[in-house]
Amino acid sequence: MNFWFMAWIFFSVFIFGIFLWSIKILLQQKQCWKQFAAQHKLAYANGPLFSSATVRGQFRGYDFSLISEAQQDDGARGRKYRSIIQIELPGRMPTEAIVASEGLRGRVEAFRLPEKFMPDLPDWNKKIYFQTANHEALSSYITPDRARALNTLMSAKGANALFVFNPSESILRFETPDPLTDVQKLERLAVKMIETAQILDPQNSVA
């Protein structure tokens, strides 16, 4: 039998196996997200057959979104998928700023805010990108508790996080390669994100 024919069969089987595995993970993800949405009375949209579901609504008083997003891989070699939790904070911020984990630095540097910000925290991760439009205006907002919350979130291993805000809107975002197919794990992550949002919310008094 021709070598190239055998190679074609091998790669065809290999690619088909990856496709079946991807479909299995997608179905598990949809089932998990649907269960999570039902538990918290959130809106669930199943999406097209070969696309991820979406979950949106009010979760513990905050606008909450759970989505899957295809992102261009480093070096533009392909696409990677990330599960994303995004929370909107209602409080009014004192100025514009961006805080991002190291993995998102390239994407957020384009905003070119003029001043670098470094919280007064002994173990602050210096790889975190933190730029602001007004250093002085931001100083009173970044309390020790908020600095610790940001440091923990932005330093999460294997994940990326972003906190972007201005005086009119604020978005807290967490990206993970985990498809989040386990309800208990998804619940823990969602609650942790809400707890972080509560600390960062300027409507809440944080010492």
Side-chain angles (χ1 to χ4, degrees), residues 57-113:
Q58 283 278 309
F59 184 40
R60 299 195 178 186
Y62 289 89
D63 287 338
F64 177 94
S65 300
L66 172 63
I67 62 173
S68 180
E69 182 177 276
Q71 300 175 352
Q72 195 167 24
D73 205 348
D74 295 336
R77 291 186 298 270
R79 292 192 305 172
K80 55 187 178 183
Y81 286 85
R82 294 290 183 263
S83 300
I84 296 170
I85 290 178
Q86 186 165 292
I87 297 171
E88 295 182 28
L89 280 63
R92 185 177 176 83
M93 292 293 188
T95 186
E96 182 179 2
I98 296 175
V99 193
S101 55
E102 184 182 10
L104 294 179
R105 186 183 185 97
R107 277 195 263 168
V108 300
E109 281 184 332
F111 285 86
R112 298 187 182 278
L113 293 178

Side-chain angles (χ1 to χ4, degrees), residues 121-157:
L121 194 69
D123 58 347
W124 177 258
N125 180 359
K126 293 180 175 59
K127 293 182 179 179
I128 295 172
Y129 180 88
F130 200 162
Q131 300 286 116
T132 180
N134 189 322
H135 189 287
E136 185 177 353
L138 192 61
S139 296
S140 60
Y141 166 74
I142 301 296
T143 63
D145 281 352
R146 287 179 177 136
R148 280 190 289 269
L150 285 170
N151 197 50
T152 299
L153 183 65
M154 301 293 162
S155 302
K157 291 184 178 180

Side-chain angles (χ1 to χ4, degrees), residues 145-207:
D145 281 352
R146 287 179 177 136
R148 280 190 289 269
L150 285 170
N151 197 50
T152 299
L153 183 65
M154 301 293 162
S155 302
K157 291 184 178 180
N160 288 321
L162 174 70
F163 185 36
V164 55
F165 55 88
N166 59 40
S168 61
E169 59 181 346
S170 306
I171 294 175
L172 182 66
R173 178 181 170 106
F174 185 83
E175 304 180 356
T176 173
D178 191 327
L180 298 177
T181 57
D182 181 87
V183 176
Q184 292 183 345
K185 185 174 184 179
L186 173 55
E187 178 78 20
R188 289 194 298 270
L189 179 57
V191 169
K192 180 62 178 177
M193 286 294 293
I194 291 294
E195 290 173 347
T196 302
Q198 290 171 334
I199 294 172
L200 297 175
D201 190 343
Q203 292 186 148
N204 296 332
S205 178
V206 181

